[in-house]
Amino acid sequence: MNYALVSSIAHYKEKTEISHEKKQLVWEMEFFLFEIRGNILFPLSNSYDVNKEETSQFPDKMETKRKMGYLKKRAETSESNLLKAKYHHLLWIAAETKNKKHAMVAIHHYVELIADYFRFGNNTNSYVGSEIQECFELITGLSSQINHFEQVKRLKNELLFHTGAFDAHEKIGIIETMLAFPKVFKAKDFENIPELLHELLESSNHAIDDFHLVESHIPIALKVVAKKGLSPKKWHLMAGHAYVRLAEHDTREAKNFMNLDSLAHAIHSFGLAGALEEKKKAEQSYFELKPKVKLDTFVHPLSEESIKILKETNEELKVRARELLKRTPNQIYKYLSLPFYFPKYEDAKKQADKTPSEPFLQFAKQVRFDTNKNIMFDERGTDEYVAVLREFGYRMEETMLPFLHHTFFFGIRSGHLTYLNFLEYFLEYTWIGKPHLKFDLGGNPIETNWANLLAPAVLDFFNQILAWGTSTHYVPNFVLCVDSLTLKLEGLFRNFCERLNVPTSEGKEKGIQEVLLHRIFDNKVIKEYFDQEDLLLFDYAFSDSPGLNLRNNIAHSFYNEKDYTSKKMLLLIAVLLRLGKYNISQK
């Protein structure tokens, strides 16, 4: 809307020799170098001076306020609907004392401007849909601010139902604007819009590309039917078919991962639509395509300086481990259950905040895979928490896990740490070693002690480390201990919840079923009970990327023999020690 006018003003400015005219023309251009979104002026550019710690903007909003006299004069004398709308809109936003008159006049001239655009489009055979859509958004924003809804609602009906010059994209854009302003447009204002959307998208005969269909138009339709309380199934079915077409459009090898993502979304959409046959077909296509997916691998070698720092850190960790091993076994296990040696939440958050995100990723579609090449939909919550969890994982890999390795490796080799004193610690000092009474369906009491269930994994781990340290030819195998301890930890978390009277099951289509392990950590009571650092540790071990998702990968046999490492077992031991420190009766 602004470009043509600013270009004309700039061209005239270069021609005139009159100084005060040049100055006023500069002002004119500055007035048009603002974008208006809602009740906010967005300058053309922002820059930050690191030395002065100041942010500069162009055009400057305060400067614009000092030119209010000239702006008022132009608003009164201009004969253009575009100029009058823009000037009065600026006066409404920039003035210290709000004058509703400016908003009303701006709305009037934006409406007149829409009529001008239609006349211009008809006379010159030009397409002006995007300009009209922008005007409607500005009118809606102003109407919301001054609580004046009647005019914009009439305009909405005119644009959606009585104007043939609009194509599907622009009409859907009008509906999207309506959804963005719930104060203005209530559920009753969406009458006949679900039918209109279906007509627009069905009659387009795939003129609307499938990417825009699934990424923009159908999500808008789903919001509309939710607002009206209607069934969304036909929209999910439409999305499923669109995703399948996307997967079949370009079958080059380089596109396999994107096609797999499309099929994953098709399966999800067909499931929501209740289209079981289509869902089965999509699942078969997914199964056949998955082995063909290959991603490029990038290796970022460490600099010599980084390698030097890591070596120095490792030597320091060895010293700290040997110092810790001067204490009794029970003291060692107690210290390892406390937060002294673990990464801190605040430190991870500070580093995550310092780490810049890649701007282009804000506009790019990201596809996430698990260990078995399955597409994962993002259920992890905020990007901020994911960034903190990722930073926590880096710190665990760099410091805590090497420290645990040195502590247990040196301790087991020397005989100072044994599987017996490890289990005795849990029996004597933690809730994990306390007998727990349950009753079977017949009402018979069953007493269990988790120490007995943990013993096989602990014994195998200590034996593997002992054999590894005493023989140069022995290759340790951590499959049994990692498998066993992972699943026992899941049982411990569920038993922990049971003792706190927190349910771990929910109703599903096939009856009452246990929730997934990472869902337990989302329970409000559990979140209040565990320390912030402990929740991070548990999430890192058992939730999906950037966590390790250990329980899922082991329960579904996604790991091969090379994935079973001492690091994973040490991480599980860290989780066991941290979980055992809680005194349920006291808390």
Side-chain angles (χ1 to χ4, degrees), residues 27-73:
W27 291 357
E28 293 279 348
M29 287 191 292
E30 288 184 7
F31 294 153
F32 278 84
L33 291 175
F34 286 107
E35 283 289 328
I36 300 175
R37 292 290 179 265
N39 196 28
I40 302 174
L41 284 176
F42 289 94
L44 175 70
S45 66
N46 289 272
S47 61
Y48 182 72
D49 190 321
V50 178
N51 297 322
K52 295 182 180 179
E53 295 187 351
E54 293 179 353
T55 299
S56 301
Q57 297 179 331
F58 180 81
D60 186 272
K61 295 178 185 177
M62 297 305 297
E63 262 314 301
T64 301
K65 289 182 179 181
R66 286 193 281 272
K67 299 164 187 170
M68 292 289 283
Y70 176 75
L71 189 57
K72 288 178 182 178
K73 179 182 175 182

Side-chain angles (χ1 to χ4, degrees), residues 216-276:
S216 174
H217 299 338
I218 291 178
I220 290 170
L222 288 170
K223 290 178 183 177
V224 171
V225 296
K227 210 170 185 68
K228 296 293 294 177
L230 301 174
S231 171
K233 286 190 174 183
K234 69 179 180 182
W235 297 105
H236 288 305
L237 182 62
M238 185 184 293
H241 287 301
Y243 278 121
V244 170
R245 289 194 298 271
L246 279 172
E248 294 173 347
H249 176 67
D250 187 346
T251 57
R252 288 176 297 165
E253 184 178 307
K255 296 287 185 179
N256 280 346
F257 79 98
M258 296 178 65
N259 294 336
L260 195 70
D261 181 61
S262 295
L263 288 171
H265 281 86
I267 293 166
H268 181 67
S269 297
F270 286 139
L272 293 174
L276 300 183

Side-chain angles (χ1 to χ4, degrees), residues 430-457:
T430 75
W431 67 270
I432 293 173
K434 303 295 186 288
H436 183 59
L437 191 64
K438 298 175 70 173
F439 294 90
D440 63 18
L441 285 173
N444 301 308
I446 302 174
E447 184 179 278
T448 60
N449 191 313
W450 279 103
N452 296 328
L453 297 172
L454 296 172

Side-chain angles (χ1 to χ4, degrees), residues 300-431:
H300 182 70
L302 293 174
S303 65
E304 291 185 8
E305 181 64 23
S306 297
I307 293 172
K308 180 183 176 183
I309 292 172
L310 286 174
K311 286 182 177 179
E312 291 173 351
T313 301
N314 192 51
E315 290 303 316
E316 181 183 337
L317 292 172
K318 285 182 181 179
V319 172
R320 290 174 60 187
R322 292 186 187 280
E323 284 296 316
L324 180 61
L325 286 168
K326 293 177 181 178
R327 300 177 179 272
T328 66
N330 284 338
Q331 289 175 330
I332 293 170
Y333 301 137
K334 180 68 174 177
Y335 269 92
L336 292 178
S337 72
L338 299 176
F340 305 127
Y341 298 105
F342 287 83
K344 305 294 186 293
Y345 178 90
E346 285 303 321
D347 292 341
K349 186 177 184 306
K350 285 179 183 177
Q351 186 58 43
D353 292 341
K354 289 180 184 178
T355 305
S357 59
E358 294 293 346
F360 80 93
L361 289 179
Q362 302 296 322
F363 307 98
K365 182 178 177 64
Q366 299 183 52
V367 181
R368 295 168 56 236
F369 293 86
D370 68 11
T371 305
N372 201 39
K373 290 188 182 179
N374 285 319
I375 301 288
M376 295 188 295
F377 297 144
D378 200 353
E379 299 178 352
R380 299 307 320 281
T382 65
D383 291 338
E384 178 185 328
Y385 181 75
V386 171
V388 172
L389 186 58
R390 183 177 292 111
E391 184 61 36
F392 179 86
Y394 294 153
R395 291 171 179 243
M396 286 293 295
E397 288 284 336
E398 291 171 2
T399 57
M400 189 62 206
L401 291 179
F403 175 69
L404 288 173
H405 172 84
H406 297 316
T407 301
F408 278 93
F409 190 84
F410 294 149
I412 292 171
R413 280 186 63 187
S414 65
H416 190 52
L417 300 181
T418 67
Y419 83 92
L420 281 176
N421 59 39
F422 185 81
L423 290 173
E424 285 169 356
Y425 168 79
F426 284 95
L427 285 166
E428 187 171 351
Y429 296 103
T430 75
W431 67 270

Side-chain angles (χ1 to χ4, degrees), residues 1-2 31-36 71 81-91 106 110:
M1 189 189 288
N2 297 341
F31 294 153
F32 278 84
L33 291 175
F34 286 107
E35 283 289 328
I36 300 175
L71 189 57
N81 283 316
L82 172 56
L83 293 176
K84 276 187 172 293
K86 186 79 172 186
Y87 293 145
H88 280 285
H89 202 158
L90 283 171
L91 286 168
Y110 278 130

